[in-house]
Amino acid sequence: MRQYRKTALLFLAPFLTVFVAFYLTPVFYAIYLSLFIRKRVGIGPAKEIFGGLANYIRAIQDGDFLNGLKNMFVFGVVQVPVMLGLAIILALLLAESRGIFMKICRTAFFMPYGIPSAIGALIWGYLYSPNLSPFNQVLGALHGGAIDFLSPGVVLYSIANIVTWTWTGYNMITLFAALQNIPTELYEAAKVDGASPWDIVRSIKIPLLMPTLKLLFIFSVIGTSQLFTEAFVLRPLGYVADNITPNLYLYLTAARDANYSYAGALAILLALLIFVISGPFLRRISSK
């Protein structure tokens, strides 16, 4: 038994080394940094001194950070159900298609996921540009009013559109693969009992897709908490507030303000919040 354990540790050593070096070490270093605060002593430059939980107390009172969390919550409530709903519809339609049409649709729907997030955001940034947007050109031709997609009240939904465009195809392919694993005998038995196509979708396909759908939901919630690239790319193109997402505010706090200690505290709080939200849900899924 001891020999087996040594062999297992030997095989795990490369992974554990990388895991500790590039995951655990940065996490613990961020926790260590978050315990210090920047303070000016006398007329000299600001110095890092031990502050205990001062950064955490400041974070939970920081209006910009709280506004980013609010935007993240609104984003998740609106975008995640829309994206997963579209993915379910497309997966069901794709499962009913046959031949070359199915292959073309599957490739077309999945293609946006293959485009890097930054490139996709740049493409949509052009489409959103007040002066270049083809959408506004069409509206102008129809004598309609132009829409500023990067205005403060609209930009969050513009970002949601980019994320939906990128990730719907990925979720669709995952659900489509789950549909392929459902035994066809269930459909045949339901048809013999007089079930309509809608009855089959409602009573067989959707219930059997629920485990996959729950997993995609929790992944989407975690992805919402990591929202950064789209806001960062669109920021120079229009009005995108520094606090539109927690990650953008965190990044600017570290990169622009060079306040790494406070940024570390923000990162730890954000990670704990996502753990509190997603942890119980994951345990509930795994227990079933």
Side-chain angles (χ1 to χ4, degrees), residues 101-132:
F101 179 76
M102 180 189 70
K103 296 179 180 179
I104 293 174
C105 291
R106 185 170 56 188
T107 303
F109 294 148
F110 187 74
M111 190 176 297
Y113 174 71
I115 300 175
S117 299
I119 302 300
L122 284 174
I123 294 172
W124 280 100
Y126 159 73
L127 297 175
Y128 290 154
S129 173
N131 299 322
L132 302 175

Side-chain angles (χ1 to χ4, degrees), residues 27-69:
V27 169
F28 284 112
Y29 185 61
I31 296 174
Y32 169 77
L33 278 181
S34 69
L35 300 177
F36 290 82
I37 60 174
R38 296 175 64 185
K39 190 171 183 180
R40 188 179 300 276
V41 180
I43 60 174
K47 296 182 178 180
E48 299 285 341
I49 63 173
F50 184 77
L53 299 178
N55 282 324
Y56 294 95
I57 296 174
R58 174 186 171 186
I60 62 177
Q61 298 173 345
D62 190 337
D64 289 329
F65 182 60
L66 296 177
N67 184 75
L69 293 177

Side-chain angles (χ1 to χ4, degrees), residues 114-169:
I115 300 175
S117 299
I119 302 300
L122 284 174
I123 294 172
W124 280 100
Y126 159 73
L127 297 175
Y128 290 154
S129 173
N131 299 322
L132 302 175
S133 174
F135 300 136
N136 284 332
Q137 292 177 13
V138 172
L139 290 174
L142 297 175
H143 304 287
I147 301 175
D148 187 356
F149 295 100
L150 300 178
S151 62
V154 181
V155 66
L156 191 63
Y157 298 97
S158 299
I159 294 174
N161 176 65
I162 300 175
V163 176
T164 302
W165 173 79
T166 302
W167 288 94
T168 297

